Amino acid sequence: MPYVLYYSPGAASMAVHWMLIELGVAFEARLVDINIGQQHEPDYLRLNPTGRVPTLVVDGVPRHESAALLMLLAERHPDAGFAPAAGSAERAEWFETMIFLANTVLPAMRDWFYADVDSEAAGGAEAVRALAAQRLSQAWDRLDAQLAGKPGYLIGDKLGTVDFLALMLMRWTRNQPRPATGWPHLASYIQRLRALPSFIELNAREGLTEWLNPND
Ligand SMILES: N[C@@H](CCC(=O)N[C@@H](CS)C(=O)NCC(=O)O)C(=O)O
């Protein structure tokens, strides 16, 4: 049964969309445009009661959370090698980095972009955004250090789930006060990954024209 991905251009669905393209598996991409509120429509809420993207339908069951979906796809398609094998030397760094991206960087991004929407208390949004910016800056310090001395990808010498997630998150910084391109190792990593045919294809399919090589 083909996968069905519910996505919005450039949103948290982008990493999953990219991995599906890289895997070369059969899937259908269905647009849920969050800019016009389609995530709140009853049909979509039945698939994802949180009203967020992505949702990936796997064997008829709607599944959620971008990082979890990447790990699930890696497990279902082990031959692609998008996650280090269980017991391998790189497995611990893969766990650490996936969890770091999922429980430190993604929530800080949510706070940055949705401080006004998610908070029920009025007036605190600026403080929330300031803390988010600080957390993001510290995260880029850490990932920049992790990339030092590595010629290719974040884990080992192979593209994988961590890269799909990390590049999507770095893309979201393009209009923030401190874009990820301001860190030297991140900048060359970004240039390298943006040159991948699958990333170019992903942007074309989602209709995205910003943050492509050769621009910043
Ligand atoms: N932790 C979730 C975050 C999902 C999320 O916040 N998605 C945003 C787009 S980047 C969304 O659907 N926003 C629409 C809304 O909250 O109304 C994940 O990684 O899948």
Side-chain angles (χ1 to χ4, degrees), residues 11-12 34 39-40 51-54 65-67 106 110 114 172:
I34 62 173
Q39 73 274 31
H40 304 303
R52 296 182 187 178
V53 290
E65 289 298 330
S66 54
L106 265 164
R110 178 84 202 177
Y114 288 90
W172 293 353

Side-chain angles (χ1 to χ4, degrees), residues 10 21 33 50 68 91 100 103 136 149 156 161 167 174 185-186 211:
I21 292 171
D33 190 342
T50 68
R91 186 78 166 178
F100 176 69
N103 80 357
L136 290 171
T161 62
L167 204 74
R174 66 195 185 285
H185 299 109
L186 298 187
W211 212 70

Side-chain angles (χ1 to χ4, degrees), residues 3 12 30 34-35 43 46 62 65 72 82 91 134-136 139 142-143 152 155 174:
Y3 295 109
R30 292 191 191 156
I34 62 173
N35 294 314
D43 282 352
R46 270 191 284 279
E65 289 298 330
L72 178 66
F82 287 146
R91 186 78 166 178
Q134 186 184 320
R135 293 227 160 101
L136 290 171
R142 178 193 151 150
L143 291 170
I155 310 290
R174 66 195 185 285

